[in-house]
Amino acid sequence: MPRPLWAGAISFGLVTIPVKIVSATEDHDVHFHRVHLADMGRVRTRKVCELDDQVVSQDEIGKGYEVSTGETVTVTDEELEQMPLPTAKAIEIVAFVDAGTIDPVRISDSYYLAADGQVAAKPYTLLRKALERSSKVAVAKFAWHGRERLGLLRIREGAIVLHSMKWPDEVRNPQELAPRAVEVGEEEIEQALQLADRMTIEDLAGFHDEYRQALEDIIAAKSEGKPLPSPAEGEEKGKGEVVDLMAALNASVKAAKDSRGEDGEDATVHEMRPAKKADGRTAPAKKKAASSKTAAAKKTTTRSSSAKKATGRKTAAKKRSAS
């Protein structure tokens, strides 16, 4: 089991469940040191007081809050521990909500809650079974790392998971980021839905970090004195290129079919029709129809004039012959 990060209890009404928090995830990132390139010596961050330019040790460093310019008050760890906070050593369940009402944007880090001792086995199992048989999740409050947090309890493969959550006022309003209103055709929406269906999978187990793998290959090659791996060949996509949305969607659907080895008719590219006006006809169609009528009228007029001229010439010729 990973090293516990916190020890306390779940407070569920009158039920108390001793638990320990352990990390639910692992960090597999490749971490670099900052080094002096001339001799590969480590370059570290030194804690220096900006007033006397002296390096200070960890026991000389405390927490300070700047209440105004030039005025800072200190708060000690002992003062924080003595705060009258009921959630200081408890994960207090305060409500239950439907799982579908939780905005994923608010979910932050995830942790497992391990039962702390045999005394916790029965109440832990009770809460787990209650959550498993309902479509609800438990909302809790708890204090950790110097602040009170909002949490979410749910079940994952028989274990209780604690998700740290953002408070409502910590989530920014995305409305100012939304693009201006544009019209999207039903054919485009249907093609997007078809593409989503073709790309639907059962789970995410097949995904892996390709960038980390490539980075590890570079490190291994350099450490062994071998040539660096060749970059993957691929077509560069043009930036700012204007594309036909329907054609791109249809091509994407066909590519998704091909990648799965599916048979069937190829996706059909539908012509992007212009927007209709109030009278139900498209502006380009009206212009085209008007142009066609004008051209036809001109041809008819020309033919009539030519016929009249030809008739006149024939009549004049007959008169000359008779005389």
Side-chain angles (χ1 to χ4, degrees), residues 206-218:
F207 288 97
H208 64 279
D209 189 347
E210 297 180 6
Y211 178 83
R212 178 171 62 88
Q213 182 61 53
L215 187 57
E216 290 177 347
D217 292 343
I218 291 177

Side-chain angles (χ1 to χ4, degrees), residues 35 92-93 106 109 116 131 135 160 200 202 278 293 297 305:
V35 297
E92 182 182 0
I93 295 178
R106 297 184 59 184
D109 297 325
D116 191 4
L131 290 173
S135 60
I160 299 177
T200 300
E202 294 295 330
K293 289 180 180 179
S305 299

Side-chain angles (χ1 to χ4, degrees), residues 18-299:
V19 293
K20 295 179 180 179
I21 290 180
V22 297
S23 179
T25 60
E26 295 178 330
D27 181 10
H28 289 166
D29 288 346
V30 177
H31 297 279
F32 294 101
H33 295 308
R34 291 182 298 175
V35 297
H36 183 200
L37 294 177
D39 53 16
M40 292 297 112
R42 287 281 299 274
V43 177
R44 301 178 184 273
T45 301
R46 306 175 68 191
K47 297 179 174 63
V48 179
C49 175
E50 64 178 19
L51 296 181
D52 56 19
D53 200 28
Q54 297 295 315
V55 177
V56 295
S57 60
Q58 186 60 41
D59 58 357
E60 296 179 283
I61 300 174
K63 297 181 178 66
Y65 182 83
E66 188 175 17
V67 294
S68 62
T69 303
E71 182 181 359
T72 301
V73 297
T74 59
V75 180
T76 66
D77 293 336
E78 292 75 14
E79 291 170 336
L80 293 175
E81 293 175 357
Q82 295 174 3
M83 288 177 58
L85 194 61
T87 56
K89 277 294 182 180
I91 301 172
E92 182 182 0
I93 295 178
V94 294
F96 289 85
V97 298
D98 292 330
T101 63
I102 300 298
D103 184 354
V105 172
R106 297 184 59 184
I107 296 178
S108 184
D109 297 325
S110 301
Y111 306 92
Y112 288 131
L113 297 181
D116 191 4
Q118 188 58 35
V119 69
K122 186 171 183 178
Y124 187 101
T125 304
L126 172 64
L127 177 59
R128 186 194 70 197
K129 288 185 176 295
L131 290 173
E132 285 176 337
R133 294 188 183 184
S134 70
S135 60
K136 302 183 184 303
V137 292
V139 178
K141 295 170 68 176
F142 65 103
W144 198 15
H145 292 175
R147 54 172 294 193
E148 186 172 55
R149 301 171 185 265
L150 193 65
L152 187 71
L153 300 182
R154 67 175 185 89
I155 306 303
R156 183 179 189 273
E157 298 180 4
I160 299 177
V161 182
L162 169 65
H163 298 289
S164 177
M165 295 183 64
K166 300 291 186 183
W167 295 97
D169 60 354
E170 291 181 317
V171 179
R172 294 191 177 100
N173 190 336
Q175 291 183 353
E176 61 184 19
L177 305 177
R180 59 182 180 82
V182 295
E183 292 186 4
V184 179
E186 286 297 323
E187 292 181 355
E188 296 169 318
I189 297 175
E190 288 300 325
Q191 283 296 87
L193 291 175
Q194 186 178 354
L195 177 58
D197 289 339
R198 295 291 178 182
M199 296 180 65
T200 300
I201 60 176
E202 294 295 330
D203 57 60
L204 304 179
F207 288 97
H208 64 279
D209 189 347
E210 297 180 6
Y211 178 83
R212 178 171 62 88
Q213 182 61 53
L215 187 57
E216 290 177 347
D217 292 343
I218 291 177
I219 294 173
K222 296 196 72 172
S223 64
E224 297 172 5
K226 297 179 179 179
L228 296 182
S230 301
E233 295 182 359
E235 297 181 359
E236 295 185 0
K237 297 181 179 180
K239 296 182 179 180
E241 182 180 357
V242 179
V243 298
D244 184 325
L245 182 57
M246 279 302 298
L249 286 171
N250 283 318
S252 299
V253 172
K254 183 179 183 303
K257 287 182 179 180
D258 294 342
S259 66
R260 294 190 174 204
E262 298 180 6
D263 296 328
E265 297 181 359
D266 292 339
T268 303
V269 178
H270 299 278
E271 182 181 357
M272 298 289 286
R273 297 192 179 97
K276 292 184 177 181
K277 291 192 174 182
D279 59 0
R281 298 179 62 188
T282 61
K286 292 173 71 176
K287 289 182 179 179
K288 185 175 181 180
S291 300
S292 301
K293 289 180 180 179
T294 302
K298 287 182 178 179
K299 288 181 180 179

